[in-house]
Amino acid sequence: QDLRREAASRGAAVRRAFDRTTEVANGLGSAWILGLMFLIVGDVLGRALSGAIFRVTGVAVNLSIQGTPELVKLSIVGIVFLQVAHTLRHGRHVRSTLLVDRLRPWLREALTLVAHLVGAALCALIVWSSWDNMVRGWRIGEFEGEGALRVPVAPSRTIVIVGTALLGLQFARLALGNLRSLVSRAGRTRWTRA
């Protein structure tokens, strides 16, 4: 009995730590969006001011923020992968339920289990297949962009791997919940029929 209680306590602590990790990643993604917003607005204002100065004085100046397109391009990927596990945990992905809602509850649960297992497997494949590129990016110092701003790609590749790993773990966690529900449902059905 004490071993069960201790195992349950450890399991709850692991779940809380995982939930906190996805919340922190989601918060970092949100803060990143806010920073991008300021960057893009600053770039647009700089371009507008450059045009106004040219029209008034005839002097060409460039007050735009150099490298904004490269930073935005790499940032979008990072933001998505920082927030995707949290989104899945809260069931906020777009989902079509036209067919699923017509199924019996146990079949709906079974299909959801399969979907979560496929999601976990795909995430594991993405992490596995992306690992070498991420390591190579750090090792050779790979950059995106030319000229004024060169942005290292290894950090965004690392975020993709970490975010995908978190997503895969969240899929596995949901699959475990589906399996428990199916086993519980089967147990109730067996006792009811007896």
Side-chain angles (χ1 to χ4, degrees):
Q1 197 67 321
D2 288 339
L3 288 175
R4 275 191 184 164
R5 212 173 292 128
E6 186 178 330
S9 175
R10 285 184 183 166
V14 168
R15 284 190 298 277
R16 280 192 306 272
F18 181 78
D19 289 346
R20 186 70 183 135
T21 301
T22 61
E23 288 169 6
V24 167
N26 185 58
L28 288 172
S30 296
W32 199 344
I33 291 170
L34 185 65
L36 270 186
M37 180 189 71
F38 285 117
L39 176 70
I40 292 168
V41 167
D43 185 54
V44 169
L45 290 175
R47 289 174 190 266
L49 188 56
S50 296
I53 290 171
F54 181 73
R55 281 190 300 278
V56 171
T57 65
V59 176
V61 294
N62 184 5
L63 299 176
S64 66
I65 300 172
Q66 296 298 313
T68 298
E70 290 84 6
L71 288 172
V72 170
K73 179 175 136 183
L74 291 173
S75 292
I76 290 173
V77 173
I79 291 165
V80 167
F81 281 93
L82 281 173
Q83 296 185 319
V84 70
H86 187 266
T87 303
L88 178 64
R89 180 174 144 229
H90 289 284
R92 294 188 181 142
H93 284 290
V94 175
R95 180 178 174 178
S96 176
T97 59
L98 181 67
L99 297 175
V100 175
D101 285 347
R102 297 171 190 243
L103 299 174
R104 292 185 176 171
W106 69 269
L107 185 55
R108 185 180 320 138
E109 193 75 31
L111 283 176
T112 304
L113 169 64
V114 169
H116 288 152
L117 289 173
V118 168
L122 288 174
C123 288
L125 284 172
I126 291 170
V127 169
W128 176 74
S129 67
S130 301
W131 187 263
D132 289 339
N133 283 336
M134 187 249 336
V135 170
R136 183 173 34 87
W138 282 108
R139 193 177 63 243
I140 67 172
E142 188 175 354
F143 284 87
E144 173 83 22
E146 297 295 326
L149 181 70
R150 294 178 38 166
V151 181
V153 297
S156 63
R157 286 184 180 165
T158 304
I159 290 169
V160 167
I161 288 177
V162 169
T164 303
L166 289 173
L167 179 62
L169 290 171
Q170 185 60 49
F171 270 125
R173 184 178 173 189
L174 292 172
L176 186 59
N178 298 133
L179 186 59
R180 284 183 182 142
S181 177
L182 283 169
V183 168
S184 173
R185 185 184 306 274
R188 284 193 310 268
T189 304
R190 185 176 304 132
W191 289 110
T192 306
R193 289 181 184 166

